[in-house]
Amino acid sequence: MILYYYLWVCDNLLDPSHVAWVHVTSFAGAGTDDEPLEVKKTDRGVVVSRWIHGNPPSPYYAGLVKFEGNCDRLQHYEMCMPAIALNKSIYTPEGTGGIDKPMVDLTYVNISYNFMTPIDEDNTRYFWFQHRNTDPDDKEISEKMNAGALMAFEEDRSVLEHVHAGMKNPNTPNIDLGLDAGAKQFRLMLKRKIEADQVSFMSDESSINLTVGSVSSHLRRLAIPAAIGMLFHTLYNIVDIYFAGRLSTNSQAGMAIGYLVFFFLVSFGFGL
């Protein structure tokens, strides 16, 4: 569990630029100042990406790629509603990378999957895993990559805890930057989706949202059918007792006692 709001994580996972100043010794690499970010909306969320050409691999990947020299690398940050992130890193020999270019034999791919579930406005459950396209059985590489990912997670946690505290008690106005475009578009899409779902729920005549609307109208809507149901249930027992009484007083007494036992069992069942 992490101690900040889930949307701060979503913002972070849609911002490739933060890598250059938060993860200096791991995921940061040259070329981020010169390559613009491409923001694209999909039917399920937002993708922020860019290809960076002709620079050395970042420290985290320098010992993992299977080629020497500079590389072309892809930063692919994708967020799907409600809060599922797919971060893909591609490293390929210089000159072989780019939009719509096929991967070559030496292309290195690592994909990280992140799942955020809000508990409340201050806490989030966060699960993640990653996989790569080489050395699936190399335990040493797996441990090295896991350690690097955990280090990056702790670096992000330190920043986002301060972001969470600062945004709960702001002292200065917010300033929107161009690099916030992906996060802002995702938040807007998510907000519209939530609102649409709420409208759909409220328009569903088979569902009643007791948290919205007049209390008295909700009471009438629930109490009147319940009262009519109880009336017929009582009439049912009165009819039973009437015909049992025509047989004998013992039969009538048995029905009365049986009704009490039945009512007790029903009440006990409702309590469970």
Side-chain angles (χ1 to χ4, degrees):
M1 187 172 71
I2 51 179
L3 307 180
Y4 39 86
Y5 193 42
Y6 82 107
L7 284 178
W8 302 132
V9 189
C10 295
D11 291 348
N12 184 66
L13 294 175
L14 276 172
D15 176 22
S17 65
H18 87 277
V19 174
W21 58 274
V22 177
H23 309 302
V24 177
T25 61
S26 55
F27 297 106
T32 56
D33 295 336
D34 303 320
E35 298 291 342
L37 294 169
E38 178 184 353
V39 180
K40 181 175 64 175
K41 290 194 293 185
T42 70
D43 58 349
R44 60 180 186 175
V46 174
V47 177
V48 180
S49 63
R50 65 180 162 194
W51 275 97
I52 301 173
H53 300 276
N55 287 284
S58 62
Y60 180 81
Y61 287 99
L64 298 173
V65 298
K66 305 299 184 181
F67 56 88
E68 301 291 335
N70 289 343
C71 70
D72 297 333
R73 66 185 176 110
L74 172 68
Q75 290 180 307
H76 176 102
Y77 284 39
E78 181 175 354
M79 185 65 64
C80 303
M81 294 183 288
I84 302 172
L86 183 153
N87 292 355
K88 179 165 59 177
S89 297
I90 296 180
Y91 285 77
T92 192
E94 184 177 6
T96 64
I99 298 175
D100 296 330
K101 282 192 175 182
M103 290 189 292
V104 299
D105 291 341
L106 294 177
T107 298
Y108 191 92
V109 181
N110 185 54
I111 302 176
S112 172
Y113 301 89
N114 305 263
F115 307 88
M116 286 70 67
T117 303
I119 299 174
D120 52 37
E121 293 185 354
D122 298 303
N123 300 278
T124 302
R125 293 204 180 277
Y126 183 17
F127 300 92
W128 61 271
F129 70 93
Q130 59 182 355
H131 69 84
R132 57 189 184 272
N133 69 332
T134 66
D135 309 300
D137 300 317
D138 193 318
K139 185 177 180 181
E140 183 179 350
I141 290 180
S142 296
E143 290 176 349
K144 177 182 177 180
M145 295 186 71
N146 188 59
L150 285 174
M151 180 183 69
F153 169 77
E154 293 300 334
E155 291 170 341
D156 282 331
R157 193 213 301 258
S158 177
V159 173
L160 293 178
E161 285 180 350
H162 286 84
V163 168
H164 180 76
M167 295 302 289
K168 287 199 71 172
N169 302 286
N171 296 318
T172 58
N174 296 335
I175 299 176
D176 292 331
L177 303 176
L179 54 85
D180 298 321
K184 289 180 70 66
Q185 286 194 27
F186 177 75
R187 281 182 176 242
L188 181 59
M189 290 179 67
L190 184 62
K191 178 182 177 183
R192 289 173 175 171
K193 176 63 174 174
I194 292 173
E195 290 174 350
D197 286 349
Q198 289 175 338
V199 169
S200 176
F201 177 79
M202 289 298 296
S203 63
D204 184 358
E205 295 183 357
S206 65
S207 302
I208 303 175
N209 187 349
L210 299 179
T211 65
V212 178
S214 169
V215 174
S216 59
S217 65
H218 288 320
L219 287 176
R220 287 194 299 271
R221 191 169 184 177
L222 293 173
I224 293 175
I228 293 174
M230 290 299 295
L231 173 63
F232 280 98
H233 181 73
T234 302
L235 290 174
Y236 171 81
N237 286 280
I238 291 175
V239 171
D240 279 352
I241 292 175
Y242 169 76
F243 282 101
R246 297 190 64 176
L247 296 175
S248 68
T249 54
N250 288 337
S251 299
Q252 192 175 43
M255 289 292 300
I257 295 173
Y259 174 74
L260 293 176
V261 174
F262 172 76
F263 186 78
F264 172 78
L265 293 175
V266 170
S267 301
F268 182 76
F270 284 158
L272 292 178

